[in-house]
Amino acid sequence: SSGINAEYGGLDYEDGLQNATVFCDENCDEGRTYVTHICSGSPSFDSGKFHNHCNACKLFGKCIGDYREAHCDMCGKHWFTGMSGFPCPCQGEDSDDGYYNNGGCLVI
């Protein structure tokens, strides 16, 4: 986690961003905001809902966006796990859901 945001800040996106630590006077509705994608060199303001930082990735980790994505310890990539905890496609059979690509995970 950085000093600016937690790995996933989206728990308060409908409650006034109470845990956001960046304060602003302009360009944000609640007077505070989250900043995401700092690690990729393309920082942007976010409600926190789509700020998800993977600390399992090398170096400083990686912003993976959607809070329903996860890191696969087997293939090292990210996939849409959803709210039900879908397994990484690299651990299952090929499917028609668009998440399996050439025997590995498709980063979405």
Side-chain angles (χ1 to χ4, degrees), residues 63-82:
C63 288
I64 58 176
D66 195 324
Y67 65 98
R68 298 166 297 178
E69 289 190 24
H71 183 93
C72 178
D73 291 329
M74 295 197 63
C75 70
K77 296 185 179 179
H78 304 105
W79 86 102
F80 180 81
T81 186

Side-chain angles (χ1 to χ4, degrees), residues 1 12 30 41-43 46 63 74 77 79 94 97 104:
S1 115
D12 66 347
E30 305 291 340
S42 299
D46 189 271
C63 288
M74 295 197 63
K77 296 185 179 179
W79 86 102
D94 194 0
D97 63 8

